[in-house]
Each structure stands twice: as structure tokens, then as C-alpha cells.
């Protein structure tokens, strides 16, 4: 008989789900653990990591004779988070956040993943519903080690009764199993040698909600925000290995990073990320420091158009004070906000930016500044009314402006920077 043990597990998250609430079966609360470990189900020459979720009954007291003073309900399953087009696996889980709902069955686990094979340090965010997790744990078959073929295979033997990993409920209590100490040896022996489920927990919609290239997401928190139109948005905050904070939001079915802030100038990795929804603050730590930042800095948007086009559910334009404010800061009947479409038609017409004159030195380089407060806008540069090509090596288009190399007399004229953003499909 082969006992399946965890190989170098790296636990990243643990939380309790109050599944006893409104349970007609009299079910117990459950503890969910998320971790990665060396896979035992693959016959590869090199070690392959795999992400897992495990479940333990909160009232688990261990077994009477078998699994004494050990978990008698520990069962684990694989987590899948693959890139949909190429089936590229993000197999190493980095962090998890449980977004709780009024009813626990509507809870959603958000998780960040990387790949052990990626040379570009790509990351993905996948979401897992309680329904998907429960289906695997309550109905999935177990894996067993096939001695003949020397590999892990799906167990075809009938499961013992009670089902291994099942928590004490009304039905088990009626059958005489009042605690885990009463469970039969047959169930515990099977669980001891078959802790791994054959089925894998799939993400919602079978794909990541966000894939980011050249970035390692180390931490994640999620906040559900109610906008002025009473629609709810799940705002995702992500810490990176370079000390940046990304704010992501799903708009019309697509995920956008609406804001990017460098928290630690020395590029220290974000090691911990916590949120206080009541205070509207994020608490971010690196190996050497801890900082507190607000969930939104609405005051950076100086005009109504900038405020609305930012499409930040925390921020809205207050027509009374003529400022972009956090909607939690005051009650107002004069909010202008449109997160879904970015429609700023209710705003006053924007004033044309004033001209700034700049003296150039021939054969030198010069930099023209242009900052947009909306992370969803695409910048375009015009010279005397004509769009500058982006593939011309003379012009280097960067985030905060335009760098012009080897200036000549032909470069004189009026440069206009335009922030172009699609709203309502136009």
C-alpha cells in the first residue's frame, strides 16, 4: 500500500468558510488551505510544481485508532489556471484572497499564479467559485497509485462509507458518527493512502480574469464597491515583485488595469497586502518597510472629464464643489460617474490646453511632457495637425511624453498630445 505524502508544500493562504450557516444538512464549517507542491501524479524527469486546494473540517478531532491526533478529513485537489489560447500553465500559486458574499455559497476565491517555466515572469489571476470547489470535494473520484504501471491513476474502487473527507452532518450523526473519533477504520485507512482527488478545480469561465506579461504578482486583495448607479464592481489590488501596486477592474467583460503606482522606489517586493474597507486604506509591506495608501486618490483628477474617464468606481465628480471626490466621503445628489462606459457627456466641455513654447537646440534631443490620469487612454502625438508615426525611430513614445532625437529645423512646429479613449464604442 502506497501512502501519498506532500512533497515540499508551500502554503500561501488559509481561511474558514462558515458552511454551517443555513445548512439544511447540518454541515460543519470548513478550513480551506491553498499551497503548491511537487506533483506526484506526473512521471517527469524534472520536478513539476502544482497548485492545490485542501479542505479540512473545522471540528476534526482525528481518528480513534488511525490518524490519531492528525487530520482525519484532509483531502486535496489540483487547481488549474491556464492561458486559454495556448493552454500555457500558470502552475505556481502565489497568493489568495477570499471575497466574501452575504451568502457563503456566493463566495469567490481570487488567486494569483506564475509559471515555473516562464522566462518572462508572466502572471495570471484566476477566480474559483464555491460551487466548483464543492463539486470536486463532494463528488470527485480519488487518485491511487497503480503498482503495475508505477503511476498515479483514478481509483476505480468504490469509496468507503462514509465518504472519506466528509464532515460530520445530520446524516452521519443519525448513523452514530457524532465526531471524527467515531469514523470507521476503513474510511480513515482509505483517506490516509488516498488524500488526492482525481478531479481538478477549474476557474470560473475556464480561464484567467487577468494575464499580465513581464510582471510577478506576489499579493492580492479584492474589494466590492458600489458605484453611484448602485452597480457593484470587484476592484482587484495587486502587489508586484518590483514594489508596484496595480488596481484592476472588469469593465464590460474585459479586465483593465486602471491605475499603477510605485509604492517602494527601491523596487522591493510586496510581501503583504491588506485592506481595510471601512477606512478605505491599503496596508502594504516589503522586507524593510510598511506603508499605508488610500484605495483611491480621486483628487489627482483635476477636471470632470478626467474624473469620469478614469472609470474608478471609488471616484465621481461632485458638481457642487467641482472636485473629483471619493463617493464614500460625502452624500451628494450631484455625482457624475460612468464606470461602465466612461461617458463624460454630462461634464462641461473641456477647456483647450494652453500652448507652451519650448526652445530647441539643433542636433540635440528634447522631451515633451504629456501625462494622462486615465490608464485606459491611448496617447497620440500630432505635429502641425498630422499624426506622428509610432514606428519612426526618431520619435520615442514613452509613458509620460515624447522623446525627439537629433533635432533639426524640420522638427519645429506645434506638437499636440491627445489622450484617446473609447467610450460607448466610439
Amino acid at each position: 500500500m502506497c501512502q501519498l505524502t506532500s512533497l515540499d508544500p508551500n502554503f500561501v493562504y488559509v481561511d474558514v468558510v462558515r458552511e454551517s450557516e443555513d445548512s439544511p444538512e447540518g454541515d460543519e464549517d470548513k478550513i480551506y488551505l491553498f499551497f503548491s507542491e511537487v506533483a506526484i501524479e506526473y512521471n517527469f524527469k524534472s520536478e513539476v510544481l502544482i497548485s492545490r486546494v485542501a479542505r479540512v473540517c473545522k471540528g476534526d478531532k482525528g481518528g480513534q485508532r488511525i490518524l490519531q491526533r492528525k487530520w482525519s478529513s484532509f483531502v486535496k485537489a489540483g487547481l488549474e489556471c491556464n492561458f486559454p489560447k495556448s493552454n500555457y500553465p500558470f502552475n505556481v500559486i502565489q497568493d489568495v484572497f477570499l471575497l466574501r458574499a452575504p451568502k457563503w455559497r456566493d463566495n469567490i476565491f481570487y488567486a494569483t499564479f506564475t509559471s515555473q517555466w516562464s522566462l518572462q515572469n508572466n502572471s495570471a489571476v484566476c477566480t474559483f467559485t464555491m460551487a466548483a470547489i464543492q463539486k470536486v470535494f463532494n463528488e470527485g473520484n480519488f487518485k491511487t497509485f497503480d503498482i503495475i504501471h508505477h503511476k498515479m491513476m483514478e481509483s476505480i474502487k468504490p469509496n468507503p462509507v462514509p465518504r472519506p473527507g466528509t464532515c460530520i452532518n445530520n446524516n452521519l450523526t443519525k448513523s452514530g458518527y457524532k465526531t471524527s473519533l467515531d469514523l470507521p477504520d476503513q474510511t480513515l485507512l482509505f483517506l490516509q493512502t488516498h488524500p488526492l482527488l482525481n478531479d481538478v478545480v477549474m476557474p470560473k469561465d475556464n480561464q484567467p480574469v487577468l494575464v499580465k506579461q513581464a510582471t510577478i504578482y506576489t499579493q492580492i486583495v479584492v474589494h466590492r464597491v458600489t458605484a453611484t448607479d448602485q452597480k457593484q464592481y470587484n476592484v482587484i489590488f495587486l502587489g508586484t515583485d518590483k514594489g508596484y501596486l496595480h488596481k484592476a477592474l472588469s469593465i464590460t467583460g474585459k479586465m483593465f488595469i486602471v491605475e499603477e503606482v510605485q509604492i517602494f522606489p527601491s523596487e522591493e517586493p510586496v510581501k503583504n497586502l491588506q485592506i481595510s474597507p471601512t477606512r478605505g486604506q491599503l496596508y502594504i509591506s516589503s522586507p524593510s518597510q510598511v506603508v499605508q495608501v488610500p484605495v483611491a486618490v480621486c483628487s489627482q483628477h483635476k477636471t470632470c472629464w478626467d474624473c469620469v474617464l478614469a472609470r474608478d468606481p471609488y471616484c465621481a465628480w461632485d458638481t457642487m464643489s467641482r472636485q473629483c471626490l471619493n463617493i464614500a466621503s460625502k452624500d451628494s445628489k450631484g455625482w457624475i460617474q460612468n464606470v461602465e462606459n466612461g461617458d463624460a457627456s454630462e461634464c462641461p466641455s473641456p477647456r483647450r490646453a494652453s500652448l507652451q513654447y519650448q526652445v530647441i537646440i539643433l542636433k540635440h534631443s528634447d522631451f515633451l511632457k504629456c501625462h494622462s490620469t486615465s490608464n485606459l487612454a491611448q496617447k497620440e502625438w500630432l505635429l502641425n495637425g498630422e499624426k506622428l508615426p509610432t514606428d519612426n525611430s526618431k520619435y520615442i513614445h514613452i509613458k509620460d511624453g515624447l522623446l525627439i532625437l537629433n533635432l533639426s529645423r524640420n522638427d519645429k512646429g506645434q506638437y499636440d498630445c491627445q489622450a484617446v479613449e473609447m467610450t460607448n464604442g466610439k
Side-chain angles (χ1 to χ4, degrees), residues 158-164 166 172 175 177 183-188 190:
N159 296 329
V161 179
R163 175 185 169 90
T166 302
L172 291 184
S175 301
Y177 306 115
L183 292 173
D185 292 348
Q186 183 182 8
T187 294
L188 299 182
F190 184 92

Side-chain angles (χ1 to χ4, degrees), residues 7-13 34-37 92-94:
L7 300 177
D8 300 323
N10 179 33
F11 289 87
V12 300
Y13 185 81
F34 292 80
F35 59 100
S36 60
E37 64 178 352
V92 184
I93 194 166
Q94 298 293 330

Side-chain angles (χ1 to χ4, degrees), residues 144-390:
T144 186
F145 184 78
D146 189 296
I147 299 178
I148 298 177
H149 298 92
H150 297 281
K151 65 178 182 179
M152 298 294 298
M153 299 181 67
E154 182 177 1
S155 176
I156 59 175
K157 294 181 179 180
N159 296 329
V161 179
R163 175 185 169 90
T166 302
C167 298
I168 302 299
N169 53 31
N170 292 339
N171 290 333
L172 291 184
T173 301
K174 290 178 182 179
S175 301
Y177 306 115
K178 296 182 179 180
T179 72
S180 62
L181 294 170
D182 301 322
L183 292 173
D185 292 348
Q186 183 182 8
T187 294
L188 299 182
L189 277 172
F190 184 92
L191 185 67
Q192 189 177 36
T193 56
H194 300 75
L196 179 60
L197 289 160
N198 183 70
D199 296 341
V200 175
V201 181
M202 299 298 294
K204 187 178 180 182
D205 299 326
N206 294 323
Q207 62 182 352
V209 295
L210 174 65
V211 175
K212 181 67 174 175
Q213 295 182 343
T215 300
I216 292 181
Y217 286 134
T218 58
Q219 295 286 299
I220 181 172
V221 297
V222 186
H223 187 209
R224 182 164 288 161
V225 184
T226 302
T228 58
D229 59 2
Q230 300 306 306
K231 290 184 178 180
Q232 291 188 324
Y233 297 89
N234 295 339
V235 182
I236 306 174
F237 296 93
L238 296 149
T240 78
D241 65 327
K242 300 296 184 183
Y244 280 82
L245 178 69
H246 290 180
K247 182 195 291 187
L249 179 67
S250 179
I251 304 174
T252 62
K254 295 182 179 180
M255 188 67 68
F256 295 94
I257 296 176
V258 297
E259 191 173 5
E260 181 179 356
V261 180
Q262 187 172 3
I263 302 298
F264 305 118
S266 57
E267 292 192 350
E268 290 185 284
V270 174
K271 288 293 186 180
N272 205 323
L273 176 60
Q274 302 291 327
I275 186 170
S276 173
T278 55
R279 296 182 179 180
Q281 298 290 325
L282 294 166
Y283 301 91
I284 311 168
S285 71
S286 72
S288 66
Q289 54 187 312
V290 179
V291 298
Q292 172 184 321
V293 298
V295 293
V297 184
C298 303
S299 58
Q300 66 178 313
H301 309 297
K302 302 301 182 183
T303 69
C304 179
W305 281 74
D306 285 344
C307 185
V308 175
L309 287 174
R311 295 163 90 168
D312 189 329
Y314 292 102
C315 303
W317 185 259
D318 180 26
T319 56
M320 303 299 292
S321 63
R322 296 182 181 179
Q323 298 179 79
C324 189
L325 302 175
N326 191 318
I327 59 176
S329 64
K330 61 176 290 187
D331 293 328
S332 175
K333 295 182 179 179
W335 292 123
I336 299 178
Q337 184 191 60
N338 193 306
V339 179
E340 198 73 20
N341 300 307
D343 186 359
S345 58
E346 295 183 36
C347 292
S349 298
R351 292 180 297 176
R352 184 174 178 83
S354 59
L355 290 175
Q356 295 182 356
Y357 294 92
Q358 199 157 325
V359 178
I360 64 173
I361 302 177
L362 297 180
K363 297 184 179 180
H364 283 66
S365 300
D366 205 353
F367 179 70
L368 304 179
K369 293 183 180 180
C370 180
H371 176 69
S372 173
T373 58
S374 173
N375 217 41
L376 305 182
Q378 299 292 327
K379 290 180 185 174
E380 291 182 352
W381 281 92
L382 306 178
L383 173 57
N384 298 326
E386 297 291 331
K387 184 178 177 180
L388 284 178
T390 57

